[in-house]
Amino acid sequence: MFFVDLRRLILLLATASSLLTMGYTLYGAYWAERTLLMDQALEKNRAYALKLASSTDAFIANLQQQLRYSANLLSGPAPKTEQQLNAEVNRLHEQNNSFNSVLILDTKGQVLANAPYNLGLLGTVLHGEGTRHALNSKIPLVSSPYMSATGRLLIFLSYPILDVDGNYQGLVGGSIYLHEPNSLNALLGEHFHRDGSYIYVVDKNKRLLYHQDTSRIGEIISDNPAIDAVNQGRIDALALENSQGTDMLTGFAPSKDVQWGLVVQSPTDTVLKELSGLLGKVLRNSIPFFVAVQILIWMLAMLIAKPLRQLARQAPHLDTDLAGSRISQVHAWYFESRQIKLAMLLGLKRVNRKMGVMDIERNTDPLTSLTNRRGMNAMLQQWRDTDTPFSVLAVDIDHFKRVNDTYGHDVGDLVLCFLANTMRACTRDTDLVCRVGGEEFSIFLPEQDIDQAVQLAERLRILISKTNSPTGSPITISIGVANWPIHAREHSTVLKLADEALYTAKRNGRNRVEISSQNDQVREMPPPL
């Protein structure tokens, strides 16, 4: 669950009223400016669509003029040679990248020359929609977009070739592939901007002739009010949603000569980005005083919330040693914070007292008062963190089951306590003596090498074997010795090696000390001199 701190709560309450007032004022300004910006964008797109429609008509007229010039060159009393025909189609094709292909046809539609040469149409008779219509009409013509035999969507521009008597000799024509680069695409693509504005062109059948996404060229667009309006010859602008669900500000105008519709669109979101700048100007003029007041409120909120914030930060760390001193250092300068501070200090003292008792009980074996396995693991973790080397003695009472069976478990418990007290007496204050289970014990000797550990193990073994236990006679113990980091890199492995050495001592007759070898094998310690 999320909780708001006192400082933020004060700031929230102090600023809410002023922000609501300012927000209401800006809301009215926003909608007024929004309407103005959208109207301007719509008019800009409408004007550009009209200009682009005019440019498209002029471009097509220019291409027709080029074809007429070529047709006049090819007219004459004498037929043109194949070399002359090829030279002319190459000139038309290469001079300004207007046509993707250029053809010269006779009256039957047979190809007399073509460019580029790799079209492979020379000598063939064309039956395409555009070429047949041009041959039949025998007039300058711009075809409707159609699909060629090669699968290309194109338009075909043509001009008739006449002899000196005015007899029809064929035509010269150029194809514009709507999917491929050419001057028409370059003209229409000039309006593409990084802000997401773009244009598209449709014919009278609502088929896309140009789009920035070339994969959509040839697609039939339905349910678009802009296309419906431009096909009716209207020049206008409106806001609509495009086929991708994006709000657009759209202007449109028809191209009269070729009967195309040109549509210019800008994303509404992009247009309204300008509104942020306008609102910024309003804010810069109205918020200096507001900011000054907010700074004052922030300073007061910091001053009021600081003591409680400092106390709250210490709450998750009450179990650390420094919690009491840190709480005491908090300057509680008003009544409520002072009372909370005193309550925390009092509660911390009580908790620490109880936790100290619980910690001792949790880490201590109740029978022998030695450190238990939990306490042993905690100490080993500290040594691991500080890379403290140590030797470990794994100690086990020989034939302890026989003691319990012979003298009873009460005497067995006394024997365990006897061994625990003896081990404590033989070790230093810095050593760690643990009962790890049943009659098994471990002695950890920090900063002690293997030789010192073996000497202690022998001394302890001899002392136990010569001292009467609670059974009325001595007992014996077996001991396994290992060292970290000599015998292994991992603490757990060292403990395992010590246990293995202990089991070797058991197998070799008990009442002995065995030391682990460095290759994780155990070897018998030679008897003391």
Side-chain angles (χ1 to χ4, degrees), residues 368 412-424 463-465 467-470 473-475:
T368 63
D413 290 345
L414 294 176
V415 170
L416 294 175
C417 293
F418 159 73
L419 177 58
N421 293 333
T422 305
M423 289 189 294
R424 261 196 298 258
L463 179 61
I464 291 295
S465 66
T467 304
N468 286 336
S469 71
S473 60
I475 61 172

Side-chain angles (χ1 to χ4, degrees), residues 41 43-52 184-201 210 212 249-251 262-267:
E43 175 56 26
K44 179 186 69 175
N45 287 345
R46 186 198 67 83
Y48 192 85
L50 183 60
K51 177 183 177 182
L52 202 57
L184 178 61
N185 284 343
L187 171 67
L188 298 176
E190 288 179 348
H191 189 74
F192 177 72
H193 299 296
R194 293 181 181 178
D195 65 358
S197 298
Y198 64 93
I199 76 161
Y200 59 87
V201 180
Y210 172 80
Q212 67 183 43
L249 301 177
T250 305
L262 289 94
V263 183
V264 180
Q265 296 192 141
S266 300

Side-chain angles (χ1 to χ4, degrees), residues 394 478-482 495-508 512-517 521-523:
S478 298
I479 303 175
V481 183
L495 299 182
K496 180 179 179 181
L497 292 175
D499 285 338
E500 290 177 356
L502 170 63
Y503 295 143
T504 300
K506 293 283 190 180
R507 288 194 299 270
N508 291 340
R512 16 181 338 111
V513 175
E514 297 286 345
I515 181 172
S516 175
S517 64
Q521 301 296 321
V522 296
R523 58 182 175 84

Side-chain angles (χ1 to χ4, degrees), residues 70-85 104 112:
S70 292
N72 291 335
L73 288 178
L74 297 173
S75 298
K80 302 300 180 182
T81 66
E82 181 180 346
Q83 184 177 3
Q84 290 174 320
L85 295 176
I104 296 177
L112 304 178

Side-chain angles (χ1 to χ4, degrees), residues 225-255:
I227 294 177
D228 294 338
V230 77
N231 277 347
Q232 296 171 8
R234 290 171 51 190
I235 302 172
D236 204 348
L238 52 84
L240 53 80
E241 185 178 282
N242 69 5
S243 58
Q244 280 72 44
T246 303
D247 291 333
M248 290 288 183
L249 301 177
T250 305
F252 47 86
S255 173

Side-chain angles (χ1 to χ4, degrees), residues 310-321:
Q310 291 175 334
L311 293 172
R313 284 179 174 176
Q314 296 306 317
H317 308 292
L318 293 178
D319 57 341
T320 63
D321 296 335

